[in-house]
Each structure stands twice: as C-alpha cells, then as structure tokens.
Amino acid sequence: MKPGHGAVFVRINQYARDRYNLLVNQARCALSDSLLDMSLAGSAWRVAMKSCAVVGDSDAKDIEISFSCESGALNAASVSVDLEFSAWSPSNYVLMPAAVYAGNRFLSRRIPYSPKLCLVDDIGSDKPMIVTDIPKLNERDGPSRIQERSGSMAVPCVGFQSNQ
C-alpha cells in the first residue's frame, strides 16, 4: 500500500455467548513488520505476515497473515485483519469472492427470503440494479465500511484495485 493511503491492523476479539455474542474484549495492533506478538485475556498470540510480489504486476502484492495461539486459551473468540484507508475513492473496485463485487455498491431493499422485487417501481430493464440487504459499501458519498466473514466467501481473500 502506498504510504499514507492505507494501514493493516490485526485484531483478536472475544465475545460473550450468553449476551448474544456481544464483543466484550479485544486487542488491536498495527501490523508493520512481518512478526508481531499479542496477548488477550491470558492468551499469547503470534501474528505473522508474508508478502510477495505478483509476477507481471509491479504494483500488486500477495499478502498472507496467520494467527497462532502460542499459549493459554481464548473461548468465544475470532481474529480479523482490518484494512484502513485514509484516501479512499468510491471508484476503487473491491472484491470478496462470491460475496462482494464492485463493493456491492447497489441500491438495496430489505426483502424476506426468497428474495423477489415486489415494488412495480423497482422492476424493469430501465431500472438500476437492486440487491437484497447484504454487506456493502456506501453507494453514495460519505463514510463507507464493509465487514465479511471469511467463511462467507468462496475463497477467504480480499482484493481491491485503487483507481487513484
């Protein structure tokens, strides 16, 4: 990522199952080196990052981040990678295989399963694409955020193309 445009953070989260998985504890650190040690609620973690150039594209990198609990235990927990950008453009293309294409920046409707458009004003070849209420980036100007579980994707990876 270009300096000043993005940062990678790693996070360990702990939830209260008896409180509908309410987030009750977390540790978050910026990942700038290839190895990082973290701890949360008596558990010790090692986070490793491996980065390599993409053959044929000097502007692209493949980045792999792994979490390993080295000691202790942490129940009802998850790990995450947060990508934060200070100079983001809505024209950037975001991809999460089988879950997010072009940031899912489409109009959406809360439609019960099985999803069908019911409003006559939404139906027709001259109408914009409309999707169900799914994780998506803001289709208008303003702050935007998307969160997806790795198991919701065909392949647990994220890709984006910066158009700046």
Side-chain angles (χ1 to χ4, degrees):
M1 287 187 270
K2 295 177 183 175
H5 288 270
V8 178
F9 294 87
V10 291
R11 190 163 26 114
I12 304 168
N13 304 301
Q14 187 176 31
Y15 305 92
R17 286 186 181 161
D18 60 339
R19 297 175 65 196
Y20 303 99
N21 291 326
L22 175 72
L23 180 64
V24 292
N25 203 358
Q26 69 176 323
R28 185 174 189 252
C29 293
L31 185 61
S32 57
D33 296 324
S34 60
L35 203 56
L36 176 67
D37 291 319
M38 297 176 69
S39 62
L40 182 65
S43 63
W45 294 75
R46 174 147 295 174
V47 182
M49 179 175 72
K50 187 169 48 173
S51 173
C52 62
V54 174
V55 177
D57 191 345
S58 61
D59 291 331
K61 285 187 178 182
D62 278 332
I63 299 172
E64 180 180 315
I65 298 173
S66 61
F67 294 78
S68 175
C69 184
E70 301 291 313
S71 65
L74 193 59
N75 293 324
S78 70
V79 297
S80 68
V81 177
D82 301 341
L83 305 173
E84 292 188 4
F85 299 92
S86 59
W88 185 261
S89 169
S91 66
N92 292 347
Y93 188 90
V94 178
L95 169 71
M96 297 176 186
V100 177
Y101 297 92
N104 287 350
R105 291 180 185 271
F106 310 110
L107 293 175
S108 66
R109 302 280 189 265
R110 286 189 179 254
I111 304 170
Y113 191 81
S114 137
K116 296 174 183 67
L117 294 175
C118 299
L119 300 175
V120 174
D121 292 345
D122 288 344
I123 301 170
S125 60
D126 61 332
K127 305 298 184 206
M129 182 178 298
I130 299 174
V131 296
T132 59
D133 191 22
I134 57 176
K136 62 190 205 112
L137 294 172
N138 189 351
E139 72 266 11
R140 298 179 196 95
D141 290 336
S144 199
R145 179 180 188 277
I146 194 166
Q147 178 176 327
E148 191 65 66
R149 294 177 185 223
S150 60
S152 298
M153 297 178 271
V155 178
C157 67
V158 175
F160 80 91
Q161 178 178 345
S162 176
N163 294 317
Q164 293 185 7

